[in-house]
Amino acid sequence: RETVELFGDELSEAKVSQWYLSISSSSSGSLSFAQFALSFNQPAMISHSMCAAIIHAGAHGQILTLRQNSFSDGFRYFNCDFWSNFGYRAQHVICGGFRALMLSSIRSVAHQLNYERFIRPLAFLDHFLHEMEIFFVAPTASDAETLRVMMKEAQRCPPCMNAVFAAYVSRRTHVKCNMRILHRYYRALLDKVLLREHEQEQQLVRISFVCELFANCDTLEIEMEAGMDGNVSALGDAYWTALLAEIETIDSTDFQSHTPHKLSEIKICQIEIDDAKIGELNEKLKACAWQCQSIVAM
């Protein structure tokens, strides 16, 4: 790591849009990822050459495609080309930085398949849940459709991608939705599935969708947008009515019979609410065994 830090170059200055990380394996077993925003706390070998990546992966390996979707501040790499007797062994040592690299694709050497179509929406979803801004690659309607297919029509997806998807969503017990980040960067991916349809409810997260996607999530945190002066808005009656409807939906017997979930706490941050409204909400929430509590930020 010291060699990279002292004698390496900034990754953002390499003028390379994507890098390849080879993973050799003696079997064709599937991979699983806890996240798709990779920071590389320890040094790793990467290459800008697909040919080099295939050689290092071996006959049964996988190739991960990494790309900069932010300014990758702090990422440095050390060029090791001059140490090799063969030009096709173009490799660099990389060390992590302040911002992460996006895992945008997985290739299977044995099956000669590129699973970018399935990895992209998961990568964007993971970036959103980590409240990360994106600059160079944005989600599209095609990514939203692929995410829907992975949720609703798993039989249309490769078994290995179903395993990656299931492993990722099952790990998340805490889900945070930053509304500013959502509206600015991820509307094409999540607008139609994560937000309520009516205009006055566009700030309300569809809680039933979160429960359906993340069955093991026990805490949902929604961070509302605040003004440049730090002021927050008071939510209208339409918002609270829709929120109560969402809670009633996820608590219904029909919903829990086909979508069992563990959600027990919903935090809505950066809002203005008075004690009278809290009392009114608690009266309506009694039937659902939920309770509303206000925590004043200092």
Side-chain angles (χ1 to χ4, degrees):
R1 183 181 185 96
E2 185 177 6
T3 300
V4 176
E5 294 291 347
L6 294 178
F7 304 104
D9 300 309
E10 289 286 343
L11 192 70
S12 56
E13 298 176 358
K15 297 181 180 180
V16 177
S17 61
Q18 54 190 19
W19 300 83
Y20 304 106
L21 173 65
S22 301
I23 299 178
S24 59
S25 175
S26 57
S27 65
S28 57
S30 61
L31 298 174
S32 64
F33 298 90
Q35 62 185 60
F36 293 82
L38 308 181
S39 297
F40 293 99
N41 294 325
Q42 303 218 356
M45 298 295 292
I46 62 172
S47 177
H48 58 79
S49 168
M50 175 57 73
C51 295
I54 294 174
I55 292 171
H56 289 99
H60 298 286
Q62 291 90 17
I63 300 172
L64 311 185
T65 301
L66 310 171
R67 66 180 311 137
Q68 302 178 64
N69 215 5
S70 66
F71 296 108
S72 302
D73 297 341
F75 261 109
R76 302 184 69 84
Y77 74 97
F78 182 79
N79 192 336
C80 302
D81 289 355
F82 64 91
W83 280 345
S84 175
N85 292 326
F86 306 98
Y88 60 80
R89 291 190 175 273
Q91 282 198 311
H92 312 296
V93 180
I94 188 174
C95 285
F98 175 70
R99 298 183 185 270
L101 295 178
M102 172 182 279
L103 171 57
S104 62
S105 174
I106 300 176
R107 288 177 169 86
S108 170
V109 177
H111 298 98
Q112 300 182 21
L113 291 174
N114 183 355
Y115 298 110
E116 180 179 10
R117 176 183 177 183
F118 303 96
I119 297 300
R120 267 179 58 104
L122 289 180
F124 285 124
L125 177 63
D126 186 59
H127 275 57
F128 166 66
L129 295 177
H130 282 90
E131 303 178 79
M132 299 178 67
E133 300 173 336
I134 51 177
F135 298 98
F136 304 127
V137 183
T140 64
S142 176
D143 296 318
E145 174 61 16
T146 301
L147 181 62
R148 185 198 66 81
V149 170
M150 296 179 76
M151 289 181 60
K152 303 287 189 180
E153 305 175 45
Q155 70 276 9
R156 294 175 55 189
C157 305
C160 60
M161 290 297 101
N162 285 333
V164 169
F165 177 74
Y168 173 73
V169 297
S170 65
R171 285 189 174 102
R172 300 209 67 92
T173 59
H174 181 277
V175 171
K176 183 173 183 179
C177 299
N178 185 307
M179 304 307 291
R180 182 189 68 84
I181 295 291
L182 171 63
H183 287 303
R184 186 167 182 178
Y185 299 103
Y186 298 96
R187 297 199 67 159
L189 179 69
L190 297 170
D191 200 20
K192 293 183 179 180
V193 293
L194 187 59
L195 299 179
R196 300 274 294 199
E197 295 179 2
H198 302 296
E199 187 64 30
Q200 67 268 27
E201 299 167 4
Q202 281 294 293
Q203 292 290 326
L204 176 62
V205 169
R206 193 187 297 270
I207 302 171
S208 54
F209 172 78
V210 175
C211 292
E212 185 177 1
L213 182 57
F214 303 105
N216 292 326
C217 172
D218 54 29
T219 304
L220 169 62
E221 184 176 349
I222 305 170
E223 183 173 319
M224 307 300 284
E225 295 186 79
M228 294 298 293
D229 55 1
N231 292 332
V232 297
S233 301
L235 300 175
D237 291 337
Y239 181 92
W240 299 114
T241 300
L243 177 64
L244 291 171
E246 283 289 320
I247 293 176
E248 291 175 358
T249 298
I250 65 173
D251 278 354
S252 66
T253 305
D254 290 342
F255 185 86
Q256 296 202 37
S257 64
H258 66 79
T259 311
H261 64 88
K262 299 180 180 179
L263 186 66
S264 59
E265 183 178 8
I266 302 172
K267 299 179 180 179
I268 306 178
C269 308
Q270 297 187 157
I271 62 171
E272 181 181 328
I273 184 170
D274 55 33
D275 293 338
K277 175 58 70 173
I278 293 176
E280 179 184 339
L281 291 174
N282 277 323
E283 284 296 321
K284 296 179 180 179
L285 288 170
K286 281 183 180 179
C288 304
W290 285 69
Q291 183 180 10
C292 179
Q293 182 181 2
S294 175
I295 302 176
V296 180
M298 302 302 293

